Amino acid sequence: MSEPIRILFVNSQTFPYSAESDIAIAGRFLPQGIQESGKEIRTFMPRYGNINERRNQLHEVIRLSGMNIVIDDVDRPLIIKVASISSARMQVYFIDNEDYFHRKAVYSDAEGNFFGDNDERAIFFARGVLETVKKLRWKPDIVHCQGWITHVLPLYLKKAYHADPIFSDSKVVISLYDDSDFSLDENIRQKIKFENISNQDLDVMASPDGINLAKLAIRYADGIIKAAPQIPEEISRYVTERNLPLLESKPISKDDNAYIQDYNVFYEQILSSDVSKKG
């Protein structure tokens, strides 16, 4: 009997740990539906400071915590926490760090100003997920990224972690939303550099903003899902230029799982194709 397909969901938000939104609903109900269809799943998100750990019964996984991640020459400890959604028979892993994820807002301050270190938070989250999956010794067939804070991960997986046997055969799928209207720190390219990543790999980030961060993710993806009715035109054009397998997703709902079949077919299409865009 063959092994089940393994899908790693890397979500920017997951309901009920995040406020109800298209991305948070997808982060909650898509993994459940895929698991119930016979695939094996793991799911990750950041441990934002507005998550009530006691109410949601988060606890630290000591065996997975303890390493440091260096960004811009500063070491920061990686803490892994986990909680269970019992009705879905699903665990959620949380990437935590006091400097990056203990503030009470998600991406912006009370005045609506985008946090100046959001670039570092995305870098820390991406590397934290990949390092934790290595420790779990769980080999994903597909890594499915949802939301802008996941958009550094495809580059790392394809360039810095590609030789690791845990990730050597992994395909990357990205769900695109209308969440790219922001600017990032001008030094983001230098901060992202790690292992085999070069200036050429990051040339699309010459102007550091959400549009180009999405392009960076698309460059290292194997398949794209348009998960929102409105995607910025510049991003849509870039998807067309890359000629990647594309799914125009039905809305993901907590009450109707008709979309699950479309996702399963798309995952299988990605795994059976020879598409491998590495820039």
Side-chain angles (χ1 to χ4, degrees):
M1 188 172 179
S2 60
E3 293 288 322
I5 292 172
R6 292 178 167 186
I7 313 289
L8 171 63
F9 289 96
V10 187
N11 301 320
S12 61
Q13 300 177 51
T14 302
F15 181 78
Y17 310 109
S18 305
E20 194 166 333
S21 66
D22 288 346
I23 296 179
I25 291 298
R28 162 64 177 84
F29 291 98
L30 177 60
Q32 177 184 349
I34 295 301
Q35 178 172 255
E36 290 174 352
S37 71
K39 294 178 173 59
E40 192 174 323
I41 65 111
R42 296 287 186 275
T43 182
F44 282 77
M45 69 170 287
R47 204 296 275 177
Y48 302 113
N50 59 0
I51 297 173
N52 186 309
E53 292 200 359
R54 178 173 293 182
R55 184 171 66 242
N56 290 293
Q57 298 184 343
L58 272 68
H59 62 271
E60 184 176 349
V61 186
I62 302 297
R63 69 184 178 89
L64 298 177
S65 300
M67 74 171 292
N68 281 5
I69 291 177
V70 181
I71 301 175
D72 205 23
D73 296 325
V74 178
D75 283 24
R76 289 184 170 85
L78 171 63
I79 305 299
I80 307 301
K81 295 176 179 175
V82 69
S84 296
I85 301 176
S86 57
S87 60
R89 299 182 179 179
M90 184 173 82
Q91 284 190 320
V92 178
Y93 291 90
F94 296 84
I95 299 297
D96 196 8
N97 172 266
E98 185 173 354
D99 293 334
Y100 289 139
F101 297 116
H102 281 209
R103 63 201 70 168
K104 294 302 181 183
V106 177
Y107 302 135
S108 306
D109 63 21
E111 286 73 45
N113 300 307
F114 204 62
F115 291 130
D117 66 349
N118 273 340
D119 61 327
E120 295 182 16
R121 298 170 86 207
I123 293 166
F124 187 92
F125 180 53
R127 288 182 53 193
V129 169
L130 294 171
E131 291 293 343
T132 303
V133 173
K134 282 176 59 178
K135 283 190 175 182
L136 287 169
R137 301 186 65 81
W138 189 80
K139 184 179 174 68
D141 297 294
I142 286 178
V143 180
H144 188 162
C145 298
Q146 302 195 89
W148 76 264
I149 204 169
T150 73
H151 284 173
V152 181
L153 190 147
L155 165 71
Y156 280 141
L157 191 149
K158 292 297 183 78
K159 299 295 292 189
Y161 289 81
H162 70 284
D164 191 294
I166 293 292
F167 300 111
S168 57
D169 299 319
S170 299
K171 302 288 188 180
V172 176
V173 169
I174 299 169
S175 284
L176 295 173
Y177 294 84
D178 188 10
D179 63 345
S180 54
D181 185 17
F182 56 84
S183 295
L184 293 161
D185 186 88
E186 62 182 9
N187 296 316
I188 184 173
R189 286 184 293 174
Q190 189 59 40
K191 295 176 187 178
I192 286 176
K193 283 185 183 177
F194 175 67
E195 296 291 339
N196 300 317
I197 297 169
S198 67
N199 289 330
Q200 184 177 354
D201 298 323
L202 297 165
D203 58 6
V204 73
M205 289 295 296
S207 177
D209 58 30
I211 295 284
N212 288 328
L213 186 64
K215 289 182 180 179
L216 182 71
I218 293 163
R219 175 182 282 189
Y220 294 98
D222 299 288
I224 301 296
I225 296 169
K226 287 189 176 180
Q230 299 296 323
I231 302 295
E233 180 59 32
E234 188 174 347
I235 294 176
S236 291
R237 286 198 305 269
Y238 194 72
V239 170
T240 301
E241 290 169 10
R242 300 298 292 178
N243 194 30
L244 293 167
L246 175 66
L247 172 64
E248 302 269 1
S249 174
K250 296 184 177 81
I252 289 180
S253 164
K254 56 186 176 182
D255 301 315
D256 180 5
N257 66 356
Y259 59 87
I260 293 295
Q261 178 63 17
D262 291 342
Y263 277 77
N264 274 321
V265 169
F266 190 67
Y267 292 148
E268 287 159 13
Q269 177 189 353
I270 298 299
L271 291 174
S272 64
S273 104
D274 292 325
V275 175
S276 182
K277 299 292 186 182
K278 298 185 179 180

